[in-house]
Amino acid sequence: MGPVTTIVAFHAHADDPVLLSGGTLARAAADGHRVVVVVATDGMNAQFPTPRWRELEAAAAILGVHRVVALGYAESGHGPVVYPDPPGRRRFVRADTEEAAHRLATVLQQERAELLLGYDPNGGYGHPDHVKVHEVARRAAGLTGTRLLEATIPRDVVVRFVRLIRALRIPFRYDTDALGRAYSPASAITHRFDVRRFAARKQAALAAHVSDVRGGGRLSAVLRVLVWLPAPVFGLVAGREWYVDVTRR
């Protein structure tokens, strides 16, 4: 990854850093880079810090992250209706993009970050908070001149993974056709990181998100399978991570 630098990874929810960039963060930390994670939301309604945030802190420690920052917005949910704002906070999807970008820019300036990790224009699978992360990260990068890599997955990889999940009869409550149009085409990918050497650490960080792994969310059954896999098999499944370098296209 080049000379020692500071990397800020901007994510929507507490469990996202592990899923999309856990191996990258672990590799960067192991190589001596300073790694900072900024998360836009810290729960639906509960007062901060929530149990999921505590799980994030535990997962971040496993990955070698040096600092975890909350922007302080509430989760927006993924349904057709956005819940009312909780007392004293706004749901992230309703946040003013300029205001949120300045909050993120403040962290980038404090950390003298050379690299920012965000999300692709689709927000991965289209969650409103993920799309908002894309918008805020792009604006913050513009405000500070920070190099921006957008975390994503090639669509063909997504399709193969979904087919495997279906074949194994693992409950998966996502629209398969929509996922085939989500994330990024392979032609857009500029960086492919082999992080199999850090697969065990990524898997342990994922297991730290107890609320998501043991819960009843749409992805919980898949997360349980990933956590239970033997480490070498987990490395084959989740040992690569992909990015689009926005500033060099």
Side-chain angles (χ1 to χ4, degrees):
M1 293 187 180
V4 174
T5 187
T6 298
I7 299 168
V8 173
F10 183 41
H11 288 275
H13 310 113
D15 59 336
D16 291 329
V18 175
L19 292 171
L20 281 174
S21 60
T24 303
L25 301 183
R27 174 182 165 182
D31 286 346
H33 301 281
R34 177 170 171 81
V35 178
V36 177
V37 167
V38 180
V39 179
T41 70
D42 50 43
M44 288 292 290
N45 298 300
Q47 293 297 311
F48 181 80
T50 64
R52 289 185 74 197
W53 191 266
R54 294 300 189 199
E55 292 164 3
L56 165 61
E57 292 177 326
I62 292 170
L63 296 175
V65 172
H66 297 85
R67 180 187 178 198
V68 181
V69 181
L71 280 197
Y73 297 101
E75 291 182 26
S76 306
H78 197 203
V81 178
V82 179
Y83 292 105
D85 293 336
R89 295 195 299 163
R90 292 190 68 80
R91 302 219 177 265
F92 188 46
V93 74
R94 292 197 184 102
D96 179 77
T97 299
E98 193 72 12
E99 176 195 61
H102 276 83
R103 290 190 190 185
L104 178 58
T106 296
V107 178
L108 295 174
Q109 292 164 341
Q110 288 173 345
E111 293 289 345
R112 298 181 180 177
E114 288 87 355
L115 179 63
L116 172 63
L117 305 183
Y119 294 164
D120 64 43
N122 291 313
Y125 64 94
H127 191 297
D129 285 339
H130 288 223
V131 175
K132 192 75 172 182
V133 161
H134 163 75
E135 296 169 353
V136 171
R138 285 223 174 173
R139 179 59 181 143
L143 288 169
T144 59
T146 308
R147 182 182 176 190
L148 174 63
L149 296 186
E150 295 181 338
T152 190
I153 306 174
R155 286 174 185 158
D156 60 308
V157 174
V158 175
V159 171
R160 290 200 301 270
F161 184 64
V162 171
R163 286 174 180 168
L164 176 61
I165 290 172
R166 300 292 190 202
L168 295 174
R169 299 178 183 269
I170 300 170
F172 188 68
R173 302 197 303 272
Y174 285 87
D175 184 333
T176 304
D177 292 336
L179 286 175
R181 300 186 297 272
Y183 294 96
S184 300
S187 60
I189 307 298
T190 60
H191 291 70
R192 295 167 174 83
F193 292 152
D194 184 340
V195 295
R196 285 174 291 180
R197 184 160 57 100
F198 300 95
R201 196 174 298 182
K202 181 175 178 178
Q203 188 178 33
L206 181 60
H209 287 283
V210 178
S211 299
D212 295 290
V213 173
R214 296 183 182 176
R218 294 190 302 166
L219 199 59
S220 292
V222 176
L223 297 181
R224 284 191 286 273
V225 171
L226 290 174
V227 166
W228 294 338
L229 286 175
V233 179
F234 179 88
L236 291 174
V237 174
R240 288 178 175 81
E241 294 172 353
W242 300 266
Y243 298 86
V244 176
D245 190 337
V246 175
T247 53
R248 293 192 177 182
R249 294 186 69 187

